[in-house]
């Protein structure tokens, strides 16, 4: 809580979409733990389906998907030192730490019915580039963390800053696009979609990457690495949830078949690797 409060307080003058935080309490006698108070951000948050009665024409869907990527580029172009966040992360070596860390987490959470991901993690370790830059990354950039104006769907707020740090911007984009299911994806991807990224007019993942690189000057030459990392990272997150269900640490039946999604994401990672090799 303290860290998330600090990030939002520091970013607010340079990135107004951060909610306004009002106070931090570190007295455990109040509720037993640290907490902070922030202003409510009014507006609309889109989930898997549009709200009843809402119609989003292709032009509106395109504008929303453009705002999705443009707002992320705005965040990535903030100077961490100017925001007082130069010490937020661990510095250079972010890509290496991410590959090592997520590989370790998957090994710790793996169950008998999920794949080893050895080929994927070995490929990621072998192909990892140097950090392309070091900027403020959100680390959970999804449509359902964006608050939209109910009239024109402008982005009016960005929520959930608990995982923000200093890192590689393309890693942040790769993680975000792991959730981006488009209309021509396979049936499994479409049935697991959690945001309306499939609607007519929405940018495809390729178009989002192109737009991001055009606005930032980044190169997409090594995009298969970042795409594979994003899919693998999502697999680890899902597997960590499934691990708890598998070991009866939670009884939520919604998690029963998460192991199937992990197997599917292994397939997706391998497909990207094969394409990148020209096979």
């Amino acid at each position: 809580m303290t860290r998330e409060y600090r990030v939002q307080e520091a970013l607010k003058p340079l990135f107004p979409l951060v909610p306004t935080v009002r106070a931090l309490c570190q007295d455990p006698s109040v509720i037993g733990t640290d907490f902070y108070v922030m202003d409510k951000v009014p507006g609309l948050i889109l989930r898997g389906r549009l709200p009843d009665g809402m119609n989003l024409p292709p032009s509106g869907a395109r504008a929303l998907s453009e705002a999705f990527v443009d707002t992320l580029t705005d965040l990535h172009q903030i100077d961490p030192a100017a925001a007082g966040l130069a010490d937020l992360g661990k510095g250079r070596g972010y890509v290496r730490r991410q590959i090592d860390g997520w590989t370790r987490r998957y090994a710790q959470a793996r169950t008998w019915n999920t794949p080893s991901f050895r080929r994927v993690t070995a490929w990621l370790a072998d192909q990892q580039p140097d950090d392309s830059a070091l900027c403020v990354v959100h680390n959970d950039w999804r449509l359902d963390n964006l608050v939209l104006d109910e009239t024109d769907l402008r982005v009016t707020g960005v929520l959930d800053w608990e995982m923000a740090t200093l890192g590689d911007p393309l890693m942040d984009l790769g993680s975000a696009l792991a959730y981006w299911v488009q209309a021509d994806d396979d049936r499994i991807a479409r049935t697991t979609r959690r945001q309306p990224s499939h609607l007519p007019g929405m940018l495809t993942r390729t178009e989002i990457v192109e737009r991001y690189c055009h606005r930032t000057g980044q190169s997409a030459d090594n995009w298969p690495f970042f795409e594979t990392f994003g899919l693998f990272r999502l697999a680890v997150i899902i597997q960590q949830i499934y691990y708890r269900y598998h070991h009866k640490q939670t009884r939520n039946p919604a998690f029963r078949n998460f192991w199937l999604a992990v197997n599917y994401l292994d397939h997706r990672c391998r497909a990207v690797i094969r394409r990148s090799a020209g096979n």
Side-chain angles (χ1 to χ4, degrees):
M1 288 292 104
T2 300
R3 185 177 182 277
E4 188 174 7
Y5 175 89
R6 180 200 167 200
V7 169
Q8 292 178 101
E9 183 182 44
L11 276 178
K12 182 67 175 181
L14 299 177
F15 192 71
L17 297 175
V18 171
T20 299
V21 291
R22 295 294 180 179
L24 171 69
C25 179
Q26 297 178 288
D27 182 351
S29 68
V30 179
I31 64 171
T33 188
D34 294 352
F35 70 96
Y36 68 84
V37 177
M38 74 178 196
D39 286 359
K40 179 180 179 179
V41 183
L44 176 68
I45 296 177
L46 296 182
R47 310 287 183 184
R49 296 182 179 181
L50 296 179
D52 291 343
M54 180 180 178
N55 177 42
L56 187 59
S59 59
R62 181 176 182 85
L64 176 56
S65 56
E66 289 175 345
F68 172 85
V69 60
D70 291 354
T71 307
L72 183 61
T73 64
D74 291 343
L75 172 65
H76 287 172
Q77 294 182 78
I78 290 174
D79 179 0
L85 294 172
D87 61 345
L88 181 62
K90 296 181 180 179
R92 307 297 296 184
Y94 178 83
V95 173
R96 173 182 52 77
R97 290 192 299 273
Q98 289 294 296
I99 299 305
D100 291 348
W102 288 104
T103 299
R104 181 178 63 255
R105 293 180 198 109
Y106 184 76
Q108 292 170 344
R110 187 186 174 197
T111 49
W112 68 267
N113 52 355
T114 52
S116 69
F117 274 92
R118 289 194 187 96
R119 181 183 175 189
V120 174
T121 55
W123 185 86
L124 287 169
D126 182 62
Q127 298 293 321
Q128 60 182 296
D130 294 331
D131 298 346
S132 65
L134 199 62
C135 67
V136 178
V137 293
H138 182 273
N139 259 332
D140 199 15
W141 196 264
R142 306 193 313 259
L143 274 177
D144 59 0
N145 274 330
L146 304 184
V147 183
L148 309 175
D149 183 276
E150 295 189 25
T151 302
D152 58 14
L153 298 187
R154 287 180 300 105
V155 179
T156 57
V158 177
L159 307 177
D160 201 0
W161 292 90
E162 64 178 308
M163 293 191 292
T165 188
L166 297 188
D168 186 287
L170 292 178
M171 298 285 269
D172 206 16
L173 182 62
S175 298
L177 292 189
Y179 295 94
W180 194 268
V181 176
Q182 55 197 49
D184 61 351
D185 278 337
D186 60 46
R187 182 177 59 84
I188 297 176
R190 296 197 309 271
T191 57
T192 58
R193 178 183 51 77
R194 299 296 179 92
Q195 52 187 3
S197 51
H198 68 302
L199 296 176
M202 287 282 187
L203 297 177
T204 65
R205 290 185 294 272
T206 297
E207 289 172 329
I208 288 175
V209 173
E210 290 174 348
R211 186 178 180 92
Y212 179 92
C213 290
H214 176 75
R215 294 188 89 237
T216 62
Q218 289 275 8
S219 170
D221 290 347
N222 201 22
W223 181 250
F225 170 83
F226 298 103
E227 181 179 6
T228 304
F229 166 74
L231 293 169
F232 172 61
R233 177 181 181 268
L234 178 57
V236 180
I237 293 170
I238 294 172
Q239 179 63 26
Q240 288 175 321
I241 297 170
Y242 177 73
Y243 178 91
R244 296 180 61 242
Y245 177 85
H246 184 82
H247 290 282
K248 297 181 172 54
Q249 296 169 6
T250 178
R251 300 284 185 175
N252 190 333
F255 304 148
R256 179 181 296 119
N257 293 320
F258 271 27
W259 66 276
L260 293 171
V262 176
N263 278 270
Y264 169 72
L265 288 168
D266 179 58
H267 164 75
R268 286 273 302 274
C269 288
R270 289 169 178 262
V272 176
I273 291 171
R274 287 194 299 271
R275 288 199 305 270
S276 71
N279 295 332

